[in-house]
Amino acid sequence: MTSIVIIGAGECGGRAALSLRDRGFDGAITLVGAEDHPPYERPPLSKDGIVAGADPRFIANLGDYADKSIELRLGASATRLDRVNRAVELDSGERLPYAKLLLATGARARGLPGDQAECPRVLSLRTHADALHIREHLTHDSRLAILGGGFIGLELAASARRLGAYVVLLEGLPRILSRGVLAEIAAAVAARHEAEGVDIVCNARVETLCASDEDIRLTLSDGRVIEADMLVVGIGSLPNVELAAEAGLAIDNGIAVDRHLQTSDPNIWAAGDCCSFPLAHYGGRRVRLESWRSAQEHALIAAANLVGASETIAAVPWFWSDQFDLTLQVAGLSTGGTRSVRRDLGNGAFIIFEMNDVGLLLSASGIGPGNAVARDIRLAEMLIASGRSVDPAALASPDIRLKALLAA
């Protein structure tokens, strides 16, 4: 019987397994995951996972996997990939044979070097267990230090403030959200955080870190001393490529795949946070995306191609972040943009469009309360996908509907 093994029981791996059955695949499916939980969504971890200590938001019930004859191997890790004999070795010593293999190994939080990473009060946020551990230390008037001004750090800061904690966020670069978010959008986010009492320190250089079982003491290069009950490190992530690399698969900022998510081995695919792939909309530029939507889209494409289809990655990158009452949404990639156009939507909401020299729309970044920018970002995403030049004046005018531009 044809068998498919999926390594990685996160959002991508779980949805790929379920999609295989939806596509009529009737062979054996084994889904291997290192956590004890079945696949769940990770975006809520920095929000409800912190504020309410909520249970994971599972993508399916355990019974659904049983009903679809999907074998779950939870609390298990793959330690070796035998490409010659098409088998995966687990940490238990068991070997799982496969006809086709999907690597959905995800990414892990980038940690601090040295012994500080082992301190019980130096934490990261990547799993449900991480969220519960952080929440244990968050009480009214507790002191939280966050290292890193990216999405994880900022979302955590917003959640901690809702619980009444004092928060200082340290960013080593001149501004927060320096990766993938325009400066004007980042400034709006920073202003909202500061209004809520978050102490944001940019250009922060940590000279010394003294961590004990009781507290954390950080000394910055300017002499400022930060004392906290807990330090959460949010300085990026690393794709989990070790299994693939040791097996000789091509690596390029992740497991390198083609536009069909196929690796350098024709019997192995990779999807989600662990892989890098070419984007047709951006001249074949190879990217690695860590986003909820990308994980879902990759799952469906991988499942289709594992059973003989030839689907390609065609979606425009999209991601979002909720912080306090603000929602930030970004469609596309701004790399290569030479002109910016702002569209004001009222009530403090606005969108910045990035275009190239010939008027091709590359990205749209919006921020505002609630769903204020959602519709226009969705339409902008469709404009980007169309590959057409757009009149900058029309983009700037709130009186001209983006839907009309799309239909033109």
Side-chain angles (χ1 to χ4, degrees), residues 111-255:
L112 293 177
D115 297 335
Q116 291 92 345
E118 304 302 320
C119 174
R121 290 184 180 268
V122 177
L123 307 173
S124 59
L125 177 56
R126 192 75 191 181
T127 67
H128 176 63
D130 292 337
L132 293 182
H133 195 182
I134 292 170
R135 194 176 191 280
E136 287 175 4
H137 295 287
L138 283 179
T139 59
H140 186 71
D141 291 334
S142 62
R143 302 165 302 167
L144 170 64
I146 299 172
L147 186 59
F151 286 113
I152 290 294
L154 289 162
E155 289 174 0
L156 175 58
S159 295
R161 286 298 296 142
R162 287 182 61 187
L163 293 173
Y166 165 75
V167 180
V168 57
L169 185 143
L170 307 173
E171 169 56 54
L173 296 175
R175 68 170 175 90
I176 62 170
L177 296 173
S178 57
R179 177 185 160 202
V181 176
L182 300 175
E184 199 167 350
I185 300 285
V189 174
R192 189 71 184 89
H193 275 261
E194 289 168 347
E196 291 288 342
V198 177
D199 184 6
I200 297 178
V201 182
C202 291
N203 292 310
R205 299 287 187 269
V206 178
E207 293 289 340
T208 61
L209 166 60
C210 298
S212 69
D213 291 341
E214 289 76 34
D215 57 19
I216 297 289
R217 183 183 176 92
L218 298 155
T219 303
L220 306 185
S221 58
D222 62 2
R224 180 173 175 177
V225 175
I226 308 295
E227 294 181 342
D229 301 303
M230 171 178 50
L231 171 67
V232 176
V233 179
I235 54 175
S237 65
L238 298 170
N240 294 319
V241 302
E242 290 75 13
L243 189 70
E246 290 172 4
L249 296 179
I251 306 296
D252 185 356
N253 185 30
I255 304 171

Side-chain angles (χ1 to χ4, degrees), residues 322-388:
D322 292 329
Q323 299 168 39
F324 300 112
D325 60 338
L326 294 180
T327 295
L328 183 160
Q329 292 193 23
V330 178
L333 302 174
S334 60
T335 302
T338 57
R339 180 172 183 177
S340 296
V341 178
R342 174 168 171 148
R343 183 184 185 94
D344 287 303
L345 303 177
N347 197 25
F350 64 92
I351 295 176
I352 304 292
F353 299 96
E354 288 282 294
M355 312 174 73
N356 66 9
D357 290 332
V358 296
L360 192 68
L361 185 59
L362 300 176
S363 72
S365 305
I367 191 167
N371 292 320
V373 302
R375 181 184 63 181
D376 279 0
I377 289 293
R378 174 57 183 152
L379 292 169
E381 181 184 344
M382 297 168 70
L383 281 170
I384 295 170
S386 72
R388 291 178 293 173

